[in-house]
Amino acid sequence: INLSVLRSLPLPLPPLSEQRAIAHILGTLDDRIELNRRMNKTLEAMARALFKSWFVDFDPARAKAEGRDPRLPKPLADLFPDSYEDSELGEIPKGWEVGTLDSVLVLQRGFDLPATQRTSGAYPVLAASGPSGTHNKFMVGGPGVTTGRSGVLGKVFYVDGDFWPLNTSLWVKEFRHSRPAYAFHLLRDIDFASFNAGSAVPTLNRNHVHNLPALRPPMGLIDEFERVATENLDRQKHNDDQSKTLATLRDALLPKLISGELLVKDAKRVVK
């Protein structure tokens, strides 16, 4: 097709006032989707900041060691000591342990599922790069955590329900001294790409990362973080689900409004 043909195509052209009304309706949906995106970005940043404050920078313990108020409820503040000790990870709060990563969690290779054998269903399929369609069966009960084993390394995914991890991914088989949301944030801080054992295709050997030194904070503190982080992740998923619904509605309304099949006043009721 060439430009002259395109220029000669007949198009239905609503009056300018109608165009503005249509744009307002669709723009309202776009604005809500963008708001959800910004909210999720903020929620994610808050959770990451809390993880870093508690388990990387040890801010509450540092505050107590320096005689400052950790600004936490007393039962939570009591989970942080007021002094430090040396470890192979450097200075850590006194009484906290250091072990190997597989003493905190165990990674396991995912399962084969050729595209020809998939049936769309209720359970997400997780590849190395993230969600990759759905299936009518699951292999792992959620919530769970996955990361890439082959093809794409370094991305970490939290799954709130049952799922099927593909053989290109690794999934957390055991949360030995962790919980799902805690493990999600812990694994995000690991540079998996630096453990690439492949040549043409990036590949991660789980045994190489299982031997990494890993902090083992008190389980009571991990549980407290899990409560906050899980609530945060649930809110993000709610926003994502709402945005998908709004995008589907927007895409369905657009041709109907432009063609005149649906009137603006009726579309307003639908959007509301």
Side-chain angles (χ1 to χ4, degrees):
I1 194 167
N2 58 41
L3 195 56
S4 62
V5 173
L6 278 174
R7 285 173 172 159
S8 66
L9 286 176
L11 294 174
L13 186 63
L16 191 56
S17 60
E18 189 83 357
Q19 292 181 42
R20 288 177 176 144
I22 291 172
H24 175 72
I25 291 172
L26 301 178
T28 298
L29 296 174
D30 283 335
D31 289 346
R32 181 63 199 192
I33 292 171
E34 174 60 18
L35 177 61
N36 284 346
R37 187 194 68 79
R38 292 201 306 267
M39 287 173 61
N40 277 2
K41 191 173 181 179
T42 300
L43 288 168
E44 180 182 355
M46 289 169 59
R48 297 196 74 168
L50 183 63
F51 182 87
K52 184 174 184 293
S53 174
W54 286 8
F55 304 113
V56 179
D57 296 334
F58 316 124
D59 288 334
R62 193 172 305 281
K64 292 177 70 173
E66 296 173 357
R68 294 182 287 109
D69 183 359
R71 297 184 179 182
L72 293 173
K74 188 176 185 308
L76 180 55
D78 288 345
L79 295 173
F80 291 91
D82 58 5
S83 59
Y84 287 81
E85 61 187 9
D86 290 330
S87 77
E88 60 183 301
L89 292 176
E91 277 195 339
I92 62 173
K94 189 173 182 178
W96 291 19
E97 301 174 352
V98 173
T100 54
L101 183 64
D102 63 358
S103 73
V104 176
L105 56 85
V106 177
L107 294 167
Q108 179 68 41
R109 176 177 172 154
F111 305 91
D112 295 343
L113 183 62
T116 55
Q117 297 179 17
R118 297 186 200 181
T119 302
S120 295
Y123 306 107
V125 175
L126 272 293
S129 57
S132 179
T134 61
H135 192 46
N136 64 346
K137 297 179 181 178
F138 69 92
M139 291 297 288
V140 179
V145 180
T146 73
T147 189
R149 182 194 67 82
S150 176
V152 177
L153 305 183
K155 293 187 175 181
V156 183
F157 304 93
Y158 176 88
V159 192
D160 68 328
D162 304 335
F163 62 102
W164 186 301
L166 290 177
N167 58 2
T168 58
S169 67
L170 295 171
W171 59 282
V172 180
K173 182 180 180 180
E174 293 181 55
F175 298 97
R176 288 180 171 173
H177 192 88
S178 61
R179 298 283 186 257
Y182 176 85
F184 169 67
H185 286 280
L186 174 65
L187 293 178
R188 292 180 76 179
D189 281 348
I190 297 177
D191 182 12
F192 286 111
S194 66
F195 293 91
N196 179 20
S199 52
V201 178
T203 304
L204 177 67
N205 185 330
R206 67 190 181 108
N207 294 320
H208 292 166
V209 294
H210 273 168
N211 292 322
L212 288 173
L215 188 68
R216 289 165 49 96
M219 279 305 301
L221 185 57
I222 291 176
D223 287 337
E224 186 63 27
F225 175 81
E226 189 73 11
R227 181 186 64 79
V228 176
T230 299
E231 180 180 330
N232 186 297
L233 288 163
D234 287 345
R235 290 173 64 188
Q236 291 183 55
K237 185 176 187 303
H238 171 77
N239 290 340
D240 281 338
D241 289 344
Q242 185 185 72
S243 291
K244 290 175 183 177
T245 300
L246 293 173
T248 300
L249 176 60
R250 177 199 60 202
D251 295 345
L253 288 176
L254 178 59
K256 294 179 182 296
L257 285 167
I258 291 178
S259 68
E261 180 183 346
L262 183 67
L263 299 178
V264 168
K265 63 179 181 179
D266 295 327
K268 286 180 178 179
R269 286 199 293 269
V270 172
V271 171
K272 187 175 181 180

